[in-house]
Structures are given as C-alpha cells and as structure tokens.
Amino acid sequence: MVFSSNIFLFAFLPVFLALYYLLPFKARSAWILLGSYALYAWWRLDFLWLLAGVTLAAYFFALAINQAVGPRRFQLLSVGVTLNLLVLAYFKYANFGIDSFNAAITAVGLQPFTWTPVLLPIGLSFFIFHAISYLVDVYRKEEPPTRNLLDFAAFIALFPHLIAGPVLKYNLLADQFRTRTHTLEKFSYGATRFMTGFAKKVLIADTIAPLVTASFGHANPTLADSWLGALAYTLQLYFDFSGYSDMAIGLAAMMGFKFPENFNHPYISRSITEFWRRWHMSLSSWLREYLYIGLGGNRKGRTRTYINLFLTMLLGGLWHGANWTFVLWGAWHGGILAVERRLKEASLWKPSPAWLTIPGTMLLVIVGWVMFRADNVPDALRMYRGMLGLNGVSLSDTLAWQVRPSELVTMLLAGVLVYVAPWWGRTVGDVGGRLLRPRLAVTATTVLLPLFVLAILKLSAQSYTPFLYFQF
Amino acid sequence: MTEFAQDTLKNNIDQPGTPAVLRWMPGAFLIAAVVTGAALTLTSKGARDFPKDQEVVTGKWAHTYETGLDAGVPFRDPAVKLWGTTNYRLFGEAREGALVGADGWLYTSEEFETTDTVTDAREVQKKLAFVREVRDALAAQGAHLIVAVIPAKTRVYPEHLGAYKVPAVKAALYEQFRESVTALGVPAPDLLQVLQQHKAQGNLFVRTDTHWTPLGAKIAADTLAKTVRETWPTLDLPEVSFETTSSAAPQKTGDLLRYLPLPAGEGPQAAEVHVPTTTQVGESGGGLLGDAEVSVTLVGTSYSAIKDWNFEGALKEALHTDVLNAADPGKGPVVPMRAYLKSQALKDAPPKLVIWEIPERFLRFQYPEESR
C-alpha cells in the first residue's frame, strides 16, 4: 500500500488516525504496530514473519549484548549483525549473485546453475538497517536496550518509514515512544508536509516519468534525447523521493513524532561532499556512523581514509539494489568523495563561485544518475554515448513524438522550484525557524490546498503510481 | 558526512509569530479532504466488491481489491475529465495512447512506436515465419492464402499529423513486409498504393478512430478480389450475389476519443459513418440441403471483426461468394489465425481460400496470447 493511493488516503489513514486519537496514549504503540503490520501485510501477508523475526532477533540480541561482558559482547554483536546481513544477502542479493556467477560460467562454456528467483520483500533494506543500527548502538553503549518489546516493534514497523525510510536510529525515537505531544499545530505541520510531498510526487514526479522511460528506453539516443532524459530523471527522482520523505515526515508529525529531515535542497550543492550532506541525509548519516566509522573512518591514515570513503559509497550503492549499475554509481560517488577529500587536504580546494561549482556538481550528479536509472550497464553506456553526441545531436524522431509539452513545462517548473525553494526558505523563515514573512507563508499554504486536491484527482485519473524508491 | 537536519531546520509552525491560521487550517483541510474522500470511496461499489478466488497470503486479493476500488471511486470520471480537459486546453494533448493531429484528426501512438531496429525487425521476422507456417498448414488442407496488409493510418493520411512525424525507421516497413510476404509465394496486394489513389472519394480511415472507414474497407476488398481472380483464375468459388446498402442516418464513431475526455462540444468531434449492410441477393448456389458452401474464410483483427466497417460484406460482394468471418478483435493478427488453424471449422470444412488481414500497426507487437 503506497501513500499515494486511494486505499491509503481514504481507507487506511482516516481509520488509523481516528482510532489513534481515540485510544489512550498507552495503547497507541500497540495500535501503531497493528496498523503498520496491516499495511505491510497488504503487500504480502506471508512476509510479515520476516519483519517480525528481524524485530524479535534485534530485540533479544540487544538484551544479550547488554548483559554480556568482555569479548562475548562483540561476538554477540557479530552474530546479530551477520544474521541481519544474511537475511539481506539472501533476499536481496542471491539472484544477483547467481546471475553473475552463471554469466561467468556460461562465458567459459559451462552449464548455468538452475535457481528459482527470490522475491525481494518491500522495505527489507530499511528495516534491516534499523535493526543493525540498534544493535551497534547498544554495543557501543550509546543507547541502553529497550525492555519494551511493543515500543521497539512499533519503531521497526512504524509505517511512515517502513517501506522507504528515512533510515532512523532507535535512540532518535525511543523517548518519543515514551512521551510525545499531540497538538493541532503539530498535526497541521504534518498535514502541510504530507500534502506538499503528495503534490511533489503526483503532480511533478509522475508527470515527468513517461519522458524518462521513453528516453532511457531509446536504442540510440542523440545528444538531445539523452540529456533530456537525464535531466528529466534528475528532477523526477528528487521530487519522487523527497516527496515521499515529506509524506513520511508529515505522517509521523500527525502522530506526534518528529523525524529528521531527509533532504535539504541537494541540487544547490557546490561539491559532491556537500551533496551527500543534503541528499538522503538519513542514509548518509547511517553509512557514516555504521560503515565508514566501522571501516576505520579517518583514523588509519590518509590512504585508508580515501579507501574507506570509496568503499562506504560502493557498498552504499550496492544497498540501493542488486545490480552492477548501483555498484558503479556508488564507486562514482565514492571516487569523487575521495578526490575531493584529497584536494582539500592538499589545500588544492579553492573556494569557487557558485555559478561554477553548482553546475559542475550537478553535472557529476547527473552523470551518476544515468547509471543509477539504467536497467543495466550496457544501457547506461548507451546513454553516455548519446550524451557525448556520438549518435547525433538533435532530438530524434523516435523520441520527438513522445515529448509532451506538459512534461517540458513541468520540468521547467520543477527546475525553478529546485532553485527557488532554498531562496524561499531564507526569505520566509530563517534557519532558526522564525517566520520572516508570515503573509507569504499563508499564501503558500493557501496555494498548497487546491494543489493537493488536484493531485488527488490526478492520482485517481492515473489510478496507480508506484514509488521509484520501493525497489530498494 | 552529515548532521541531522532537525538540528538546523526547525518547524516554522512551532515558532512565535506564526499566523494563527497556519496552526489549524492545513490540518483541518486535510481532515476534511480525507473524510470526504473516504465517504465517497467507502460507499462506492468498488469498496463492496470483494474479489473471489484470489490468494490473500500472496497479496493478490489485496491487489485485485485495490484495482477495483480505484476503478470504482465516484470521483474518478470527473478527475479523468478534469485532467483530460486541462491537458488538452493547455497543451493540446490527449491521454497517453493517442496523438492529436491537425484538422480534428487523431492517431494511435502504436503507429509511432519503435523499440529498436533490431528488436522490431526480429518481431517482423517472426510474423513472416508464421505467415510461412500458415501458408503450409493451409496448403496441406488444400486452401490458398492471401494476405491483406493494411497500411497505417499515418501512412495514408500524413497530411493531418500536424507537428508529429512518424519515425523514419518505419518508412519502408509496409513495403518491405508486403514484398517479403509476396516472396513467400503468398499474394499481398499493395493496398497502400490503391488507398492513396482513392483518397479523393472520401475518407478511407475514420478521422477519430484507429480503423478504416467502410469505403477504405470496400476499396481493399475490391483489390483483394481482383488479385484473387488474377492469381487463381480457375478457383471455383460457389457463386452467391450480394448487395450493400448504407444506413440513412450516419453513426458517430471514434475509439480514439476515449483518450480525449472533454466536455461536450470541445475538441475534435466524433466522425460520422454511414454503416453499410450487405445482404444476399436471390438464390444461393445451394448445397445438399440448400445451403451454399462457404469456401472463403476471413481471419484478422478488429478491422475485419467490427461490423461497422463491413469488410466481410465488401469481400462477399467483391468475390461474389459467401465468406466465413473468423476474425477476433483486440488480439492482433496472429492469435486469431492460430485459433483458426486449430479450429474444427477448418478440419470439417476446409475452405478454398483464406484471406488474412494483417494491419501494419501490429507488426512490431507480440500479444501475450501469441506464445501460448
């Protein structure tokens, strides 16, 4: 069940929220758990055991780690983390591993290994990361293990973040499960965020999607074809995923929870390092805390720091999906992060004007997104050939008829929003949150309301809109 | 790499000085919208339509229920109309699947679609291989095969395409396929050339429909009949006379208008067609019990199956013989032919001639049923 669906919006959400507010505070964790499991089971009932199993394992392993002393603590952590990684490996990477193995052995004339493909449970990557971070935090004694299984299970399954994040640490929400406030202001804030995300997803991302599909499906894209597709995907992905994150944050706020932000105007970044401070921030935070630091971070010398940066992004890329495209995308970002770090340490990184660094960073990001979006590496290489103009320059007639004026206008508006939104944030409210232009804020909210209705109607007209990020 | 944005981005709404209206209006609006939507959705027919015989555990039941619910919400039709109107008025666009040309002409996007030259060519080769298979299977039953390759509407009427241009890679498709069929020893007259020559007589394709008009179908039928007579001069078909009359009142038609959900009177208006009816004249040749033997079978798609175009009737009149219509709409040209080859009708009473109608626009498509 996706957030942008009639069943969620007009059946699940009103029933869930109505009972949530009718129930006493003590019963709300149980209701969250029940509601979240129901939402998960709507996809497939038979995979609910996996979610419950991962939850129970993390809960008991954390208690055991806390009680153990000496090397046994690390042993228990290792077993707990390994179990989670094995689950992830089997459900997410087994097909990829077998396919790659078969490709290698068939290349030397051997018979391929027969294998029934494994179905990837939705949200697996996220709830496995939640479980691992909890175990590591308990091991590091950053957070005592909870003895409240209900709260913990409700945290792992909390439906706003269950399917596509943000990636959260239990200690961020532990206190909020014990006590949190519910006010009309908070609910209204949540409603604003939810409606904003919904409109971003349905009105912008979904409108651009067919153009992206057409461009990436082109057999011999020209310079114009491939750049149009790459730019369209750059906008689609941002509005899709940040829209989803807005909805998640908004839904959580409607239940009194405060989630961390997941995006902070990533396309105004002036370096790839800055980009990762602004894009999918909860994931980059997780990767830093549990992977980069786990690999040794910057404590083992310069060379190891670069290698660690590279490996962190490489594995972060693989986390996004079992495909060589994601590995190469991760390597691309990891490599650039390492180079930027090196330049900075060698004092070769000179402050440059925004008109140079923002487009420069965007270029690197867009090149990366092409690999990220392509179905396979040869498809990505085909797009790159197009971007270099090796198949001609002007818009091809095989794509031209598929380019709809509404898509181009939406792209233009999306582009304007990407660069106006940061200015808007500074103009209407400062970083402390104080409203500088209350009237503008009221006007913007007033505009949002009919946009939300239009988005509902568009959703109904197009009936179904899967989220891009659900595959991860 | 990052710090949590909650440390730097505070909620404006929590801060003093925030206008009071922002503290309640978005929340109240969302509640009102969701409650209204819920009332409309949960009282709709789709909400009470629970799927039967669907697995609950694997999510199939839920998926089917949700699909039904989406289709049944009472605001879906107004939503489709609203967005259809908006996109047409602002951008001159139809919904995905149709293209709005000039002068009120609509075209299906199927006639523009290409995958890549290799994949498309492979599919066309598969079609040709099947033509060979059909030729041999019918020959084994003593039947001749003639193929009617129907040119794309865009090919016959490129002058109404407006800003759209059919991809150049499709330029030679019609002629190449027709020549390849002919090279297999199966006659396939050049209907494109004939239709182009007769454009002055009236519309040969329906302006707002994917199909041809009865006039287009008649010209094709006459051409096919001429080819049959020239190719098999000794073919002895039971003589039956037919005549065709057209309905006095025109009938509005246009399957492509489904892609333009507009208010009445707006946008391209439905084309009008005088629907012909073909009836037998006088006595038939007569079989044992007085029924004429049917020696010609028509196999094909909606171009043959839809009665309004009267392709079957036009063939009867042009061939002076009765025709069994085994066309099946919505499945492309291969599936109906596969079904016919397996049919009892072919085994029990093999015809002398089979006319197989293959529209150019289906050449690159493989219908799922084709592999069954």
Side-chain angles (χ1 to χ4, degrees):
Chain A
M1 194 186 296
V2 297
F3 297 159
S4 56
S5 65
N6 287 317
I7 190 93
F8 178 82
L9 211 52
F10 301 130
F12 180 86
L13 190 62
V15 172
F16 179 85
L17 284 179
L19 275 164
Y20 177 85
Y21 276 96
L22 284 172
L23 288 168
F25 188 83
K26 278 184 180 174
R28 285 179 180 169
S29 285
W31 180 237
I32 288 171
L33 182 64
L34 197 67
S36 301
Y37 274 12
L39 187 132
Y40 196 83
W42 190 256
W43 169 67
R44 277 187 80 115
L45 186 61
D46 52 353
F47 277 92
L48 203 53
W49 66 268
L50 188 66
L51 176 60
V54 167
T55 304
L56 283 172
Y59 176 78
F60 286 113
F61 264 96
L63 289 176
I65 290 168
N66 189 53
Q67 281 174 355
V69 287
R72 185 151 177 77
R73 283 173 58 77
F74 185 73
Q75 287 166 2
L76 282 166
L77 172 74
S78 302
V79 174
V81 170
T82 304
L83 280 176
N84 276 291
L85 291 178
L86 282 175
V87 169
L88 194 63
Y90 175 71
F91 284 103
K92 191 160 182 171
Y93 301 109
N95 297 338
F96 174 58
I98 296 289
D99 288 347
S100 299
F101 177 72
N102 278 343
I105 61 169
T106 48
V108 293
L110 296 173
Q111 284 295 312
F113 183 73
T114 51
W115 169 259
T116 308
V118 180
L119 184 69
L120 173 65
I122 59 166
L124 176 76
S125 311
F126 291 92
F127 62 75
I128 289 288
F129 266 31
H130 289 145
I132 291 175
S133 70
Y134 175 63
L135 292 176
V136 175
D137 285 352
V138 169
Y139 172 77
R140 288 176 179 167
K141 298 190 175 175
E142 288 178 7
E143 177 70 20
T146 179
R147 292 186 185 279
N148 189 330
L149 178 59
L150 193 63
D151 279 359
F152 181 69
F155 158 74
I156 295 282
L158 189 61
F159 73 83
H161 72 58
L162 174 64
I163 309 297
V167 186
L168 300 179
K169 286 156 65 88
Y170 179 63
N171 65 15
L172 268 177
L173 267 75
D175 287 342
Q176 298 185 48
F177 270 100
R178 283 190 285 272
T179 173
R180 61 185 179 276
T181 57
H182 299 83
T183 64
L184 184 57
E185 285 86 351
K186 213 181 221 181
F187 189 90
S188 272
Y189 170 73
T192 305
R193 289 298 297 263
F194 180 80
M195 291 190 286
T196 305
F198 193 90
K200 281 164 80 173
K201 155 77 180 153
V202 177
L203 295 181
I204 298 176
D206 288 354
T207 304
I208 301 172
L211 178 57
V212 176
T213 306
S215 172
F216 276 79
H218 200 301
N220 296 298
T222 62
L223 187 98
D225 297 345
S226 48
W227 275 102
L228 186 63
L231 279 172
Y233 182 62
T234 300
L235 293 166
Q236 184 206 356
L237 184 61
Y238 172 64
F239 280 92
D240 189 285
F241 192 26
S242 74
Y244 179 84
S245 295
D246 284 336
M247 284 191 262
I249 291 167
L251 288 166
M254 284 188 246
M255 287 185 259
F257 288 103
K258 193 172 180 180
F259 274 15
E261 288 294 337
N262 212 17
F263 289 87
N264 183 16
H265 312 303
Y267 291 158
I268 60 163
S269 302
R270 298 173 68 166
S271 66
I272 292 296
T273 308
E274 185 184 350
F275 176 77
W276 281 104
R277 291 194 188 110
R278 293 173 173 275
W279 177 274
H280 204 172
M281 293 143 75
S282 64
L283 174 68
S284 51
S285 173
W286 195 99
L287 292 174
R288 179 196 61 187
E289 288 193 42
Y290 302 105
L291 197 53
Y292 178 66
I293 291 175
L295 289 167
N298 58 3
R299 303 187 307 275
K300 296 188 176 178
R302 280 185 180 177
T303 310
R304 270 299 296 271
T305 303
Y306 306 143
I307 292 171
N308 289 344
L309 270 173
F310 180 78
L311 279 177
T312 300
M313 293 311 294
L314 188 85
L315 292 169
L318 188 61
W319 173 84
H320 280 80
N323 195 324
W324 287 109
T325 52
F326 294 118
V327 176
L328 290 174
W329 172 77
W332 171 252
H333 277 271
I336 298 172
L337 282 179
V339 168
E340 285 183 357
R341 180 93 175 204
R342 170 71 189 138
L343 291 174
K344 204 172 177 183
E345 284 175 352
S347 302
L348 293 169
W349 189 263
K350 299 268 183 336
S352 304
W355 63 264
L356 198 64
T357 49
I358 292 176
T361 304
M362 278 305 290
L363 182 68
L364 298 174
V365 168
I366 292 169
V367 168
W369 284 150
V370 169
M371 184 59 76
F372 190 86
R373 168 61 175 76
D375 290 338
N376 48 54
V377 176
D379 280 5
L381 296 178
R382 208 181 55 207
M383 282 292 279
Y384 290 137
R385 277 197 296 275
M387 290 165 87
L388 290 171
L390 298 179
N391 298 325
V393 175
S394 56
L395 198 66
S396 69
D397 57 5
T398 42
L399 186 70
W401 68 271
Q402 299 179 76
V403 181
R404 297 159 76 88
S406 58
E407 292 165 345
L408 296 179
V409 170
T410 306
M411 277 180 68
L412 192 67
L413 286 173
V416 169
L417 279 175
V418 162
Y419 292 102
V420 164
W423 165 84
W424 175 269
R426 284 196 303 274
T427 306
V428 177
D430 66 11
V431 287
R434 191 167 56 85
L435 276 181
L436 299 176
R437 305 270 180 91
R439 260 190 207 171
L440 271 180
V442 173
T443 307
T445 307
T446 312
V447 169
L448 173 66
L449 308 183
L451 283 180
F452 177 61
V453 175
L454 279 175
I456 290 174
L457 294 174
K458 185 165 190 286
L459 175 80
S460 192
Q462 68 195 25
S463 281
Y464 178 64
T465 57
F467 276 106
L468 290 177
Y469 251 69
F470 274 28
Q471 61 182 300
F472 310 125
Chain B
M1 281 179 197
T2 184
E3 57 195 35
F4 279 122
Q6 65 178 6
D7 302 329
T8 52
L9 299 173
K10 300 269 183 356
N11 302 339
N12 289 325
I13 209 151
D14 287 341
Q15 305 305 313
T18 300
V21 70
L22 289 185
R23 296 177 188 275
W24 62 268
M25 186 174 67
F29 186 85
L30 182 70
I31 290 171
V34 166
V35 168
T36 307
L40 292 169
T41 303
L42 299 178
T43 54
S44 68
K45 188 184 167 295
R48 298 187 300 275
D49 200 2
F50 299 107
K52 293 178 183 74
D53 305 326
Q54 294 283 349
E55 286 179 11
V56 173
V57 172
T58 56
K60 284 180 184 157
W61 184 93
H63 181 71
T64 310
Y65 178 77
E66 200 173 334
T67 306
L69 185 80
D70 288 341
V73 291
F75 45 87
R76 180 148 123 162
D77 286 346
V80 168
K81 198 166 260 185
L82 173 78
W83 276 100
T85 309
T86 306
N87 281 332
Y88 180 73
R89 284 184 185 166
L90 291 181
F91 307 110
E93 292 171 2
R95 285 176 71 83
E96 211 172 319
L99 300 174
V100 182
D103 318 313
W105 280 68
L106 302 176
Y107 294 87
T108 170
S109 55
E110 284 176 2
E111 295 190 8
F112 293 74
E113 286 170 12
T114 54
T115 310
D116 58 71
T117 44
V118 176
T119 311
D120 286 357
R122 198 181 297 139
E123 190 53 43
V124 172
Q125 286 306 315
K126 278 166 82 176
K127 296 275 192 303
L128 279 170
F130 186 57
V131 171
R132 191 185 299 118
E133 201 182 305
V134 172
R135 177 200 64 187
D136 295 344
L138 291 176
Q141 299 279 347
H144 296 294
L145 173 67
I146 181 168
V147 169
V149 188
I150 304 176
K153 180 178 169 182
T154 48
R155 205 176 285 282
V156 182
Y157 286 102
E159 62 269 33
H160 301 297
L161 280 171
Y164 294 108
K165 205 176 146 194
V166 179
V169 291
K170 286 175 166 273
L173 176 64
Y174 181 84
E175 199 47 37
Q176 278 174 355
F177 184 74
R178 198 186 68 76
E179 281 176 2
S180 302
V181 172
T182 309
L184 292 173
V186 176
D190 188 348
L191 297 180
L192 172 63
Q193 193 188 34
V194 178
L195 290 169
Q196 282 169 333
Q197 284 166 356
H198 288 80
K199 277 169 75 173
Q201 289 184 15
N203 280 348
L204 307 177
F205 276 81
V206 184
R207 187 171 46 78
T208 51
D209 201 289
T210 50
H211 300 96
W212 50 15
T213 60
L215 177 61
K218 183 183 176 338
I219 291 165
D222 290 346
T223 310
L224 286 160
K226 188 168 167 246
T227 309
V228 168
R229 281 191 288 273
E230 287 169 0
T231 313
W232 301 289
T234 57
L235 189 68
D236 183 24
L237 299 174
E239 181 110 1
V240 186
S241 294
F242 291 90
E243 70 173 14
T244 301
T245 51
S246 282
S247 64
Q251 188 172 306
K252 287 183 187 298
T253 187
D255 57 3
L256 288 167
L257 287 169
R258 289 179 212 146
Y259 295 86
L260 267 183
L262 301 173
E266 187 163 352
Q269 297 301 295
E272 294 183 339
V273 170
H274 290 272
V275 178
T277 310
T278 301
T279 47
Q280 189 178 324
V281 182
E283 294 288 311
S284 63
L288 189 63
L289 300 171
D291 290 329
E293 182 191 349
V294 182
S295 294
V296 179
T297 301
L298 169 64
V299 183
T301 66
S302 49
Y303 289 76
S304 303
I306 294 175
K307 299 287 179 201
D308 289 358
W309 321 133
N310 197 41
F311 186 45
E312 173 197 325
L315 281 172
K316 286 176 178 172
E317 196 176 1
L319 289 165
H320 305 292
T321 194
D322 205 358
V323 174
L324 173 76
N325 193 344
D328 196 1
K331 292 175 183 165
V334 173
V335 176
M337 180 52 89
R338 270 200 207 287
Y340 177 65
L341 291 180
K342 286 181 193 164
S343 70
Q344 204 59 38
L346 176 64
K347 284 175 193 144
D348 293 347
K352 290 178 179 168
L353 175 70
V354 173
I355 300 168
W356 187 13
E357 164 256 301
I358 302 179
E360 180 194 355
R361 69 181 241 233
F362 294 135
L363 287 180
R364 60 173 295 276
F365 288 104
Q366 188 185 35
Y367 283 76
E369 297 95 326
E370 285 181 29
S371 51
R372 284 175 202 160

